Amino acid sequence: MAVLESTAREQRPPRGAVRRGRSRVNTHSPAHRGDAKLAWVLIAPALVGFLVFAAYPTLRGIYLSFTDFAVLSPPEWVGLDNYTQLLHDDVFWSALGVTVYFVVLSVSISLVVSIITAAVLHRLTSSTVIRGLIILPFLISAVVAGTVWSWMLDTQLGVVNIVIKALGGDGIQFLTSRGWAIPSIALISVWKQMGYTSIIIFAGLQTIPPTIYEAGRVDGAGELTMFRRLTLPLLRPILALVIVLNIIGAFQVFDIVQVTTKGGPANASNVLQMYIYSKAFGQFDFGYAAAMSLSLFVILIAITFLQMRLLRANESDTNA
């Protein structure tokens, strides 16, 4: 027994040793003594950037949401007054309703179009040129996209209305009527984001083993049946990711609205980000704007958590 114990002590790796394959690396040896310092040096720029541009502004914003702050005067602590005002602010709830309407339209249309586009790319073509053209609108600035589409959708001179009138229809006030403002902005957002979403779904389609489709063909299933019974269930984790990203992005819409409608007509497209911006930089009520921003942050966290639970985002039907 003593011989076995002495042999085990001899074979036991020294303290601080790490196995790498069949060899051992002693992290406390002189050769690796400066690794920790080097690691901190390498991550220091990213850490400083996170603290300065993310952590501090977030904590500062949370503090300001409990104050009355108008830039030229120091913040004055008011407790929950901003949140009490928010609960009775009809414009806030109207802006939240407009934002939810925009989110539902843009996310649902974008998801359907992106799934179809990704399926076509996956099944019918392998051209990298076509894939590049699909993602091209995503690379365009939202301000540029909004400006170009505002010209195209202009009631008098826009090419879309010119085509509609040439076909015998009446011109549509896409961006200047209450009924068409949000649907028009949603379609612009879908056009811009669709390529990025399609590429993510396309990447998910490539992870599905071809043998699954071969087995489906042997059983006599058609393309539509395999898409509905095989592709969509196996894409559940990717679709959950896409839905969460699209909803978060849609709730933060601002630049397209600012360029196209500026919240009009008569607050018909006054989304929540526009209202926060007008309160902060139009009326200099930064305390109330911070309270609305924090409320939006909490709403997004709740929606994301609920979606991840409902969609079972971490598993697909292959895990069943």
Side-chain angles (χ1 to χ4, degrees):
M1 181 66 68
V3 174
L4 292 176
E5 290 179 355
S6 62
T7 304
R9 283 194 297 268
E10 292 176 359
Q11 293 179 349
R12 188 178 302 159
R15 186 177 181 182
V18 178
R19 286 183 177 271
R20 287 186 181 175
R22 295 183 178 179
S23 62
R24 297 188 183 97
V25 177
N26 190 349
T27 56
H28 293 289
S29 66
H32 297 277
R33 191 164 295 165
D35 286 359
K37 295 180 180 179
L38 178 61
W40 280 107
V41 171
L42 293 176
I43 68 173
L47 183 61
V48 171
F50 171 77
L51 294 175
V52 173
F53 298 107
Y56 173 74
T58 300
L59 297 176
R60 177 70 172 173
I62 294 174
Y63 165 72
L64 291 179
S65 68
F66 296 97
T67 66
D68 181 11
F69 180 47
V71 180
L72 298 179
S73 58
E76 179 182 351
W77 183 266
V78 294
L80 297 176
D81 288 357
N82 288 328
Y83 295 96
T84 303
Q85 179 183 350
L86 184 147
L87 293 175
H88 299 88
D89 188 351
D90 294 336
V91 180
F92 169 81
W93 293 108
S94 173
L96 181 60
V98 171
T99 305
V100 171
Y101 178 39
F102 169 81
V103 169
V104 171
L105 279 180
S106 62
V107 172
S108 58
I109 296 174
S110 176
L111 187 64
V112 172
V113 174
S114 298
I115 291 176
I116 296 174
T117 303
V120 171
L121 289 176
H122 181 64
R123 306 291 287 176
L124 300 181
T125 181
S126 59
S127 173
T128 55
V129 175
I130 295 178
R131 297 173 191 172
L133 293 176
I134 289 295
I135 202 173
L136 185 61
F138 177 74
L139 304 177
I140 300 175
S141 168
V143 174
V144 174
T147 303
V148 173
W149 274 101
S150 65
W151 294 340
M152 295 174 62
L153 298 177
D154 185 79
T155 306
Q156 301 297 328
L157 304 176
V159 64
V160 176
N161 271 313
I162 291 176
V163 172
I164 292 175
K165 293 176 182 178
L167 295 175
D170 296 328
I172 300 176
Q173 297 179 346
F174 288 103
L175 300 173
T176 56
S177 65
R178 292 185 60 87
W180 277 100
I182 286 297
S184 300
I185 296 172
L187 290 177
I188 296 173
S189 178
V190 169
W191 174 83
K192 187 180 184 310
Q193 298 291 334
M194 181 266 297
Y196 175 70
T197 307
S198 298
I199 294 301
I200 294 179
I201 298 175
F202 174 76
L205 288 172
Q206 290 185 313
T207 63
I208 300 177
T211 54
I212 294 180
Y213 294 109
E214 294 174 2
R217 293 189 189 95
V218 171
D219 292 338
E223 291 292 332
L224 186 59
T225 302
M226 287 192 294
F227 180 77
R228 183 166 53 91
R229 296 291 184 88
L230 297 176
T231 304
L232 289 181
L234 293 173
L235 278 179
R236 181 184 295 151
I238 301 297
L239 294 180
L241 171 67
V242 166
I243 292 174
V244 169
L245 291 178
N246 281 357
I247 288 181
I248 292 176
F251 262 102
Q252 296 176 344
V253 64
F254 171 77
D255 36 21
I256 294 178
V257 178
Q258 174 68 15
V259 171
T260 55
T261 64
K262 293 182 174 58
N267 288 334
S269 61
N270 187 25
V271 293
L272 194 53
Q273 294 285 355
M274 281 291 300
Y275 186 45
I276 294 174
Y277 174 83
S278 65
K279 275 291 183 181
F281 299 98
Q283 304 176 25
F284 299 104
D285 192 353
F286 285 94
Y288 187 54
M292 289 191 289
S293 300
L294 185 60
S295 301
L296 177 60
F297 176 69
V298 173
I299 291 173
L300 290 178
I301 289 179
I303 292 175
T304 301
F305 177 78
L306 181 63
Q307 285 179 323
M308 300 294 282
R309 292 296 300 268
L310 292 178
L311 294 174
R312 292 184 294 165
N314 61 336
E315 61 184 50
S316 70
D317 284 4
T318 57
N319 298 326

